[in-house]
Amino acid sequence: MKGQRYIWIERRLYPSLRMEVLAAILSILLALLAIGVLFGVVGVDPLFVYRRIFMGAFGSLFGLSETIVKAIPLMLVGVGLTLAFRARMWNIGAEGQLLMGAIAATGVALTFPDLPAGVLLPAMFVAGFVGGALWGLIPALLKVYFRANEVLTSLMLVYVASEAVNYLVYGPWRGPEEMGFPLTSKFSPAAQLPRLLNTRIHYLTLLLALLLAVLVYLLVRRTRLGYEIRVTGENPTAARYAGMDYTKIVLLVMLLSGGLA
């Protein structure tokens, strides 16, 4: 009608770096606020809880080093999930891919304990990547050929991978010197990652996680494949119309996502 004014809300096609940083900070603050409300409802001082959490994670050199130890695998998994989520592949099974990668790497370490570290460690990294990649490929194949929902299939495969770990550590891989506990034999020194000073930080995997974060960013933002991944995620129909191979992109993304996990 005449005289009426309309407000249109549209998504930014290319948000600035400043907007992305502010959005991340605001998301964290809102999450802390929401959790703080829940703490308050049950009668716990949220400021006390947050202070204890912060001091435990960053209040000492030991706490900081252990935080980094826990963060390294999460960083690697997060990098892989970022790639999958860009293609709108909801990979909920990264934990299972991590476990299958661990099984593959452990198999190399236990089978070839006498190899030199310069050969054994790279072989373990490659085996871990392949194990996770193949496990991530299963829900991708089910999606593109049978239209199975990858949220369900990738999640269910986590339990399969977990049971595979249990079978191995309670069965054929249980170390005879571990006094009946469900543990494998200790890896040979050549199969153990070097640590930073007197901490448990494996600096090779820390550097690898940081490097892969940069490489994945460049892949998504600066390459043709990254462009195809983004277009496929935003509009699969438009991607197919433009001649992009949807099946190839989905399979490749899940291979990389599972391998990085």
Side-chain angles (χ1 to χ4, degrees), residues 141-244:
L141 290 171
L142 293 174
K143 178 181 178 67
V144 297
Y145 290 113
F146 300 100
R147 298 185 179 180
N149 188 302
E150 72 274 15
V151 173
L152 297 177
T153 55
S154 62
L155 179 60
M156 293 299 99
L157 285 171
V158 172
Y159 299 99
V160 178
S162 179
E163 289 303 313
V165 172
N166 287 334
Y167 166 74
L168 290 170
V169 297
Y170 279 97
W173 282 1
R174 180 185 289 190
E177 71 282 359
E178 297 301 332
M179 302 177 63
F181 288 97
L183 301 169
T184 68
S185 297
K186 291 182 173 57
F187 289 2
S188 66
Q192 298 180 26
L193 291 169
R195 300 178 182 182
L196 182 63
L197 301 177
N198 294 321
T199 70
R200 297 198 307 131
I201 299 173
H202 300 133
Y203 59 83
L204 287 180
T205 46
L206 175 59
L207 294 175
L208 181 64
L210 296 174
L211 176 62
L212 287 173
V214 175
L215 292 178
V216 168
Y217 173 82
L218 294 176
L219 171 67
V220 172
R221 291 292 185 180
R222 297 289 187 266
T223 67
R224 176 181 176 179
L225 176 60
Y227 175 73
E228 292 180 348
I229 290 173
R230 299 200 311 272
V231 173
T232 300
E234 293 294 335
N235 193 328
T237 302
R240 291 190 179 96
Y241 182 78
M244 299 177 186

Side-chain angles (χ1 to χ4, degrees), residues 116-127:
V119 176
L120 185 53
L121 285 177
M124 291 171 64
F125 272 95
V126 171

Side-chain angles (χ1 to χ4, degrees), residues 98-115:
L98 184 152
L99 292 175
M100 293 307 294
I103 288 174
T106 299
V108 172
L110 296 178
T111 305
F112 307 102
D114 298 326
L115 288 177

